[in-house]
Amino acid sequence: MNLPNDPIMLYSVVNMKLRDFYPDLDSMCDDLDVDREEIVDKLSAAGYEYDEEENQFV
């Protein structure tokens, strides 16, 4: 899957997918065949961190 490069769009798409389809970030990355570290790094650079308890980036 091609995820958006823009961090705000990426944030929105990833959180929507986590909320609606996946129990955690690892499951989403495995299913979509995307690099977890790349997503975490891009969103971290934009000021977002993954909250495992909430299963979303905040």
Side-chain angles (χ1 to χ4, degrees):
M1 169 170 200
N2 289 332
L3 292 173
N5 284 324
D6 176 74
I8 302 303
M9 292 299 296
L10 180 63
Y11 168 79
S12 178
V13 169
V14 167
N15 274 349
M16 181 271 303
K17 290 196 174 292
L18 289 170
R19 179 189 69 229
D20 294 346
F21 302 108
Y22 299 102
D24 56 51
L25 183 58
D26 289 324
S27 297
M28 184 194 81
C29 291
D30 289 345
D31 188 50
L32 299 177
D33 194 29
V34 295
D35 185 349
R36 182 188 200 278
E37 206 166 305
E38 185 178 336
I39 291 172
V40 170
D41 288 348
K42 282 183 182 179
L43 292 177
S44 179
Y48 301 107
E49 297 296 326
Y50 181 62
D51 182 330
E52 289 183 28
E53 192 172 302
E54 296 294 324
N55 191 35
Q56 68 179 354
F57 282 86
V58 293

